[in-house]
Amino acid sequence: SLRSLEQLFEQIDRVLDREGTLYEEAGDYGGLPLYRYPPLVIFIDECHQLKRPIQDALLTMTEPSERRAILEDFAADMSNVTFLFATTDIGSMEKALKTRAREINLKPYEQEDIAEIIGRMHKGWSPEVRNLIAIAGRMTPRVAKERAKDLVRILKQDYKGQKPNESIVIEIMNKEWGQDRLGMTDRDGRYLGVIEDANGPIGGENIAQQLGIGLTEVENDIEPFMIKLGLIKKGQSGRELTEDGKRLIMEKGQ
């Protein structure tokens, strides 16, 4: 959501003010007052989506020899600042910015990891129920926690507080959450159908247009789960079905 360097520094200054920490005056730079910022960490999520001017500005702030930012009214010394960039599409980052950072690949959550998280929250639930909630949460801990909370509400409201079992959870997934046992929705099925009809690699923009939704929704809400299920693969030329994806479509069509 960052659109300008000024917007970034408004957020930084707001946090510093809240914490009772200030930058210090450090002379001037190019006719502008120079402020030296205190040690802090700036975390930017989905940095590949940053507009080019912002990425260019980050280059000057991560320059090894002179880490400064030039704004309209002042210059900022960022030599004490640590940047953390997170991305799900490192290939879309500016090459120069990538060279300024050390790349750390994070391991995605597996189904058993999320099931364990749910089990810590709901110790009386069976392994089968925990795994189903992980699937219903589309292998994302935050979403799985929301599903678990909703399950408790539905059990209390419609099942007289009954302890969940596998069949009840599958029934709730279908009726309440619009998901099958794999956690897939009708929209997921239509997504796979668009790729199948393409008979070859197809780009994300094309898929989004055919589904009538935004590209961000395709990339953030649908594709990560499809990849975790092993139903699609993404390459430079586009998206394709895997053998498991083709097999699933055939099974659903029968």
Side-chain angles (χ1 to χ4, degrees):
S1 61
L2 287 175
R3 293 180 174 82
S4 68
L5 195 56
E6 281 72 19
Q7 184 187 6
L8 172 61
F9 273 84
E10 285 175 6
Q11 295 189 32
I12 295 171
D13 292 345
R14 191 179 305 121
V15 172
L16 291 180
D17 182 64
R18 187 181 68 210
E19 297 296 324
T21 304
L22 299 174
Y23 49 73
E24 60 182 36
E25 297 184 4
D28 63 83
Y29 182 83
L32 294 171
L34 177 64
Y35 301 144
R36 179 176 295 112
Y37 276 73
L40 56 93
V41 174
I42 297 175
F43 173 77
I44 301 179
D45 197 15
E46 300 297 352
C47 61
H48 64 277
Q49 295 183 4
L50 291 173
K51 302 298 183 184
R52 179 62 183 268
I54 300 296
Q55 292 202 34
D56 289 343
L58 288 171
L59 285 177
T60 65
M61 285 189 278
T62 54
E63 174 67 43
S65 59
E66 189 178 69
R67 299 180 54 191
R68 291 197 175 99
I70 310 301
L71 293 90
E72 291 184 5
D73 300 325
F74 66 94
D77 180 347
M78 307 297 282
S79 56
N80 292 322
V81 175
T82 297
F83 287 91
L84 292 179
F85 303 122
T87 178
T88 53
D89 186 5
I90 195 169
S92 296
M93 281 183 64
E94 291 293 333
K95 183 178 179 181
L97 186 58
K98 284 193 291 186
T99 62
R100 303 286 172 85
R102 183 178 63 174
E103 183 179 342
I104 301 174
N105 291 306
L106 301 181
K107 176 181 175 292
Y109 281 101
E110 301 292 342
Q111 181 177 329
E112 55 266 28
D113 299 324
I114 302 172
E116 181 181 345
I117 292 171
I118 298 302
R120 292 174 183 174
M121 298 172 59
H122 302 279
K123 299 185 184 299
W125 289 3
S126 69
E128 292 78 14
V129 168
R130 298 174 191 176
N131 279 308
L132 282 172
I133 294 300
I135 293 170
R138 300 173 74 83
M139 308 299 187
T140 303
R142 171 181 51 81
V143 180
K145 288 179 180 180
E146 292 172 358
R147 288 290 192 237
K149 183 178 179 180
D150 197 37
L151 176 61
V152 171
R153 178 190 63 80
I154 295 170
L155 290 171
K156 184 177 181 180
Q157 177 178 298
D158 300 332
Y159 291 82
K160 300 180 180 180
Q162 185 176 342
K163 186 177 179 180
N165 57 42
E166 189 173 5
S167 61
I168 288 177
V169 175
I170 291 174
E171 181 178 288
I172 290 173
M173 286 174 66
N174 184 258
K175 291 183 177 179
E176 299 288 339
W177 302 332
Q179 296 176 289
D180 64 15
R181 201 188 189 292
L182 291 177
M184 291 183 57
T185 65
D186 289 341
R187 188 180 61 172
D188 296 328
R190 289 188 286 115
Y191 168 87
L192 294 178
V194 168
I195 298 179
E196 180 190 32
D197 292 342
N199 292 318
I202 180 173
E205 289 280 6
N206 195 338
I207 296 173
Q209 186 176 12
Q210 293 191 52
L211 291 178
I213 60 178
L215 177 60
T216 300
E217 196 171 350
V218 170
E219 293 181 334
N220 294 343
D221 296 343
I222 301 177
E223 289 183 341
F225 188 51
M226 296 296 98
I227 291 173
K228 287 177 181 178
L229 291 179
L231 303 178
I232 70 158
K233 55 185 176 181
K234 289 175 64 175
Q236 290 187 342
S237 54
R239 286 78 167 158
E240 293 182 272
L241 293 175
T242 63
E243 292 303 317
D244 285 344
K246 294 175 184 177
R247 191 178 303 114
L248 179 64
I249 289 179
M250 288 182 61
E251 291 173 356
K252 285 183 175 293
Q254 293 176 352

